[in-house]
Amino acid sequence: MNKPDVIHKAMEELDTVVGKERLVQESDICSLNYLKSCIREAFRLHPYHAINAPRVAMEDTTVAGYLIPKDSHVIVSRIGLGKNPRVWPEPLEFRPERHLNDGVGVVVLAEPDLRFVTFGTGRRGCPGVSLGTSFTMLLFARLLQGFSWTKPPGAGTVSLQESPTSLALAAPLVLQAKPRLAAHLYMEN
Ligand code: HEM
């Protein structure tokens, strides 16, 4: 809501790839690279939890030149990774385009290189990557395809301040939704 050009591009992609005659489906997700980039950007800037589940080093090891002695408790800062300026230029900017040409041309929500943590990686990585990607994308895509979103009259910039006790928004997000598809489509599924 704070980036009208981004929401405009996302809706344009939906209208081009899916159209307005049917609801977006799971099978469309692979073609919705701009929407996936929006979600990647949201995961990078606003991870579900501030830190990863703690790990204990079972033996001495070296990571990126740093010695991690056996029995160390290792806690990874997700917020720190996602906002690392050495990896992400202008890290606080919500800019989905940065993910579009980043890789092999297909945008995925997982980030095995751990430049930010979405699903983790390796033996204890999330086994729900596929389901997690599908429901996150489908919910987002349907909310965008199905409704035009506006802020209530008089509302300013949406505050992204997080609550001090969790990473939920400190103030609830209040928006107005106006249907933008034919009425019968809302009865399906
Ligand atoms: C967008 C949705 C989701 C996100 C962002 C997510 C993220 C994560 C992350 C970061 C971890 C920890 C990985 C690590 O410590 O290296 C994890 C673990 C796990 N996730 Fe997910 N997850 C999602 C959805 C799901 C779903 C849908 C399922 C099950 C159907 C699931 C099941 C699990 C389980 C069982 C683990 C523990 C794995 C282990 O410790 O061996 N997750 N998830």
Side-chain angles (χ1 to χ4, degrees):
M1 295 310 297
N2 292 341
K3 295 269 181 181
D5 53 322
V6 169
I7 208 166
H8 179 76
K9 275 191 207 168
M11 291 174 86
E12 222 171 49
E13 181 177 70
L14 275 165
D15 288 348
T16 308
V17 172
V18 184
K20 292 169 95 173
E21 309 303 317
R22 64 176 181 86
L23 289 182
V24 53
Q25 303 292 338
E26 198 177 330
S27 52
D28 298 310
I29 292 176
C30 56
S31 313
L32 296 170
N33 277 335
Y34 194 76
L35 266 80
K36 278 187 280 184
S37 303
C38 292
I39 295 289
R40 255 178 88 83
E41 195 63 341
F43 280 162
R44 179 183 73 78
L45 281 169
H46 308 286
Y48 288 152
H49 299 284
I51 56 166
N52 221 24
R55 302 283 199 268
V56 177
M58 294 169 72
E59 55 192 52
D60 285 359
T61 187
T62 304
V63 177
Y66 293 91
L67 171 69
I68 314 279
K70 181 176 181 300
D71 295 331
S72 301
H73 288 234
V74 180
I75 296 171
V76 175
S77 164
R78 290 189 188 180
I79 297 178
L81 277 180
K83 295 181 183 167
N84 181 356
R86 282 186 289 166
V87 176
W88 304 104
E90 298 178 85
L92 302 185
E93 270 293 304
F94 185 92
R95 197 192 306 139
E97 286 76 9
R98 65 173 92 233
H99 302 289
L100 280 178
N101 300 318
D102 184 21
V104 287
V106 180
V107 179
V108 291
L109 298 198
E111 174 55 36
D113 293 340
L114 297 183
R115 292 176 302 161
F116 62 93
V117 176
T118 308
F119 297 99
T121 188
R123 267 203 306 194
R124 300 306 300 269
C126 177
V129 177
S130 172
L131 187 59
T133 297
S134 301
F135 68 57
T136 306
M137 278 296 299
L138 209 52
L139 176 62
F140 180 52
R142 290 227 169 156
L143 287 175
L144 279 192
Q145 187 200 22
F147 303 93
S148 303
W149 295 92
T150 48
K151 289 183 266 187
T157 308
V158 172
S159 166
L160 297 178
Q161 196 186 339
E162 284 150 5
S163 130
T165 49
S166 75
L167 291 180
L169 285 179
L173 176 63
V174 179
L175 298 173
Q176 292 168 334
K178 192 169 150 211
R180 62 189 287 276
L181 303 177
H184 72 272
L185 290 175
Y186 297 87
M187 313 296 177
E188 290 176 5
N189 300 293

